[in-house]
Amino acid sequence: EQELKRDFFLLACFTGMAYADIRGLKGSDLVTDPDGTQCIRYSRQKTGIGSIVPLLPAAQEILKKYSLTGETRDFKWKVMSNQKLNSGLKEIARKAGIDKPLFMHLGRHTFATTVTLSHGVPLETVSKMLGHSTIKHTQLYAKIVASKVKSDMGKIAHLFQ
């Protein structure tokens, strides 16, 4: 069960999906575009806004792991409550020696900041993948990335004085 909890968290990290959207994910939400790209296309539960997320290989592997046939669309899992899932993530963090609190929504933040924005994915694209109603919501993540850049560079500034 801890492995399943870890995999739900990682799926959030690699898709930007919120807990409620992972819980509601269906095989029919996974589509293969004419160019062969596999995507998740769904309406966010919170806002009803359409979201499209091309599947990174790590996300594909997680879905295949829980597939009955080896196809990403055939995944089968039972998603526990958000409270139980977050409790399990805290236990995983403790066992792994991670002193930062782990919770499902952190996976969504990680996708927005570490996986996409930090690697040059444009804000508008990230906004569409996250299913935000306005770009202003996504800009909050961009500020987090900017402050991290400043903080990280501040750590080495003394080396170049």
Side-chain angles (χ1 to χ4, degrees), residues 45-57:
Q45 184 177 19
K46 181 177 177 181
T47 62
I49 292 173
S51 179
I52 177 171
V53 183
L55 280 178
L56 293 170

PDB file of all heavy atoms in Angstrom, residues 45-57:
ATOM      1  N   GLN A  45     -11.741  18.669 -11.703  1.00  0.00           N
ATOM      2  CA  GLN A  45     -12.904  18.566 -10.826  1.00  0.00           C
ATOM      3  C   GLN A  45     -13.179  19.899 -10.133  1.00  0.00           C
ATOM      4  O   GLN A  45     -14.320  20.319 -10.004  1.00  0.00           O
ATOM      5  CB  GLN A  45     -12.707  17.455  -9.799  1.00  0.00           C
ATOM      6  CG  GLN A  45     -13.943  17.264  -8.941  1.00  0.00           C
ATOM      7  CD  GLN A  45     -13.799  16.117  -7.964  1.00  0.00           C
ATOM      8  OE1 GLN A  45     -12.716  15.666  -7.656  1.00  0.00           O
ATOM      9  NE2 GLN A  45     -14.926  15.647  -7.472  1.00  0.00           N
ATOM     10  N   LYS A  46     -12.128  20.584  -9.711  1.00  0.00           N
ATOM     11  CA  LYS A  46     -12.284  21.818  -8.947  1.00  0.00           C
ATOM     12  C   LYS A  46     -12.911  22.943  -9.778  1.00  0.00           C
ATOM     13  O   LYS A  46     -13.741  23.686  -9.281  1.00  0.00           O
ATOM     14  CB  LYS A  46     -10.922  22.262  -8.413  1.00  0.00           C
ATOM     15  CG  LYS A  46     -10.938  23.528  -7.587  1.00  0.00           C
ATOM     16  CD  LYS A  46      -9.562  23.845  -7.056  1.00  0.00           C
ATOM     17  CE  LYS A  46      -9.551  25.153  -6.281  1.00  0.00           C
ATOM     18  NZ  LYS A  46      -8.212  25.473  -5.780  1.00  0.00           N
ATOM     19  N   THR A  47     -12.488  23.059 -11.037  1.00  0.00           N
ATOM     20  CA  THR A  47     -12.897  24.206 -11.841  1.00  0.00           C
ATOM     21  C   THR A  47     -13.741  23.842 -13.055  1.00  0.00           C
ATOM     22  O   THR A  47     -14.384  24.714 -13.636  1.00  0.00           O
ATOM     23  CB  THR A  47     -11.654  24.963 -12.359  1.00  0.00           C
ATOM     24  OG1 THR A  47     -10.902  24.077 -13.203  1.00  0.00           O
ATOM     25  CG2 THR A  47     -10.788  25.465 -11.219  1.00  0.00           C
ATOM     26  N   GLY A  48     -13.697  22.581 -13.467  1.00  0.00           N
ATOM     27  CA  GLY A  48     -14.388  22.163 -14.681  1.00  0.00           C
ATOM     28  C   GLY A  48     -13.654  22.567 -15.952  1.00  0.00           C
ATOM     29  O   GLY A  48     -14.119  22.337 -17.057  1.00  0.00           O
ATOM     30  N   ILE A  49     -12.502  23.182 -15.788  1.00  0.00           N
ATOM     31  CA  ILE A  49     -11.722  23.651 -16.942  1.00  0.00           C
ATOM     32  C   ILE A  49     -10.962  22.483 -17.555  1.00  0.00           C
ATOM     33  O   ILE A  49     -10.369  21.660 -16.844  1.00  0.00           O
ATOM     34  CB  ILE A  49     -10.761  24.780 -16.510  1.00  0.00           C
ATOM     35  CG1 ILE A  49     -11.584  26.009 -16.138  1.00  0.00           C
ATOM     36  CG2 ILE A  49      -9.753  25.101 -17.605  1.00  0.00           C
ATOM     37  CD1 ILE A  49     -10.794  27.126 -15.546  1.00  0.00           C
ATOM     38  N   GLY A  50     -10.967  22.435 -18.869  1.00  0.00           N
ATOM     39  CA  GLY A  50     -10.279  21.371 -19.584  1.00  0.00           C
ATOM     40  C   GLY A  50      -8.773  21.467 -19.425  1.00  0.00           C
ATOM     41  O   GLY A  50      -8.203  22.552 -19.397  1.00  0.00           O
ATOM     42  N   SER A  51      -8.141  20.322 -19.310  1.00  0.00           N
ATOM     43  CA  SER A  51      -6.702  20.245 -19.156  1.00  0.00           C
ATOM     44  C   SER A  51      -6.177  19.178 -20.095  1.00  0.00           C
ATOM     45  O   SER A  51      -6.823  18.155 -20.312  1.00  0.00           O
ATOM     46  CB  SER A  51      -6.363  19.885 -17.704  1.00  0.00           C
ATOM     47  OG  SER A  51      -4.976  19.777 -17.533  1.00  0.00           O
ATOM     48  N   ILE A  52      -5.003  19.425 -20.656  1.00  0.00           N
ATOM     49  CA  ILE A  52      -4.339  18.430 -21.486  1.00  0.00           C
ATOM     50  C   ILE A  52      -2.894  18.329 -21.017  1.00  0.00           C
ATOM     51  O   ILE A  52      -2.213  19.339 -20.856  1.00  0.00           O
ATOM     52  CB  ILE A  52      -4.406  18.776 -22.986  1.00  0.00           C
ATOM     53  CG1 ILE A  52      -3.621  17.740 -23.786  1.00  0.00           C
ATOM     54  CG2 ILE A  52      -3.944  20.179 -23.277  1.00  0.00           C
ATOM     55  CD1 ILE A  52      -3.791  17.837 -25.277  1.00  0.00           C
ATOM     56  N   VAL A  53      -2.469  17.096 -20.739  1.00  0.00           N
ATOM     57  CA  VAL A  53      -1.113  16.863 -20.258  1.00  0.00           C
ATOM     58  C   VAL A  53      -0.487  15.743 -21.073  1.00  0.00           C
ATOM     59  O   VAL A  53      -0.892  14.582 -20.946  1.00  0.00           O
ATOM     60  CB  VAL A  53      -1.104  16.459 -18.759  1.00  0.00           C
ATOM     61  CG1 VAL A  53       0.322  16.288 -18.263  1.00  0.00           C
ATOM     62  CG2 VAL A  53      -1.855  17.457 -17.905  1.00  0.00           C
ATOM     63  N   PRO A  54       0.488  16.070 -21.936  1.00  0.00           N
ATOM     64  CA  PRO A  54       1.222  14.999 -22.610  1.00  0.00           C
ATOM     65  C   PRO A  54       1.931  14.151 -21.548  1.00  0.00           C
ATOM     66  O   PRO A  54       2.508  14.684 -20.604  1.00  0.00           O
ATOM     67  CB  PRO A  54       2.231  15.747 -23.482  1.00  0.00           C
ATOM     68  CG  PRO A  54       1.604  17.103 -23.692  1.00  0.00           C
ATOM     69  CD  PRO A  54       0.897  17.393 -22.392  1.00  0.00           C
ATOM     70  N   LEU A  55       1.846  12.840 -21.697  1.00  0.00           N
ATOM     71  CA  LEU A  55       2.392  11.943 -20.675  1.00  0.00           C
ATOM     72  C   LEU A  55       3.903  11.787 -20.800  1.00  0.00           C
ATOM     73  O   LEU A  55       4.407  11.354 -21.838  1.00  0.00           O
ATOM     74  CB  LEU A  55       1.750  10.560 -20.776  1.00  0.00           C
ATOM     75  CG  LEU A  55       0.387  10.398 -20.150  1.00  0.00           C
ATOM     76  CD1 LEU A  55      -0.130   8.978 -20.375  1.00  0.00           C
ATOM     77  CD2 LEU A  55       0.420  10.711 -18.671  1.00  0.00           C
ATOM     78  N   LEU A  56       4.598  12.146 -19.751  1.00  0.00           N
ATOM     79  CA  LEU A  56       6.027  11.883 -19.671  1.00  0.00           C
ATOM     80  C   LEU A  56       6.216  10.378 -19.465  1.00  0.00           C
ATOM     81  O   LEU A  56       5.342   9.703 -18.912  1.00  0.00           O
ATOM     82  CB  LEU A  56       6.644  12.668 -18.508  1.00  0.00           C
ATOM     83  CG  LEU A  56       6.642  14.190 -18.670  1.00  0.00           C
ATOM     84  CD1 LEU A  56       7.042  14.867 -17.372  1.00  0.00           C
ATOM     85  CD2 LEU A  56       7.574  14.599 -19.803  1.00  0.00           C
ATOM     86  N   PRO A  57       7.367   9.844 -19.878  1.00  0.00           N
ATOM     87  CA  PRO A  57       7.603   8.401 -19.725  1.00  0.00           C
ATOM     88  C   PRO A  57       7.396   7.889 -18.297  1.00  0.00           C
ATOM     89  O   PRO A  57       6.847   6.800 -18.110  1.00  0.00           O
ATOM     90  CB  PRO A  57       9.060   8.236 -20.171  1.00  0.00           C
ATOM     91  CG  PRO A  57       9.262   9.351 -21.151  1.00  0.00           C
ATOM     92  CD  PRO A  57       8.452  10.499 -20.609  1.00  0.00           C
TER      93      PRO A  57
END
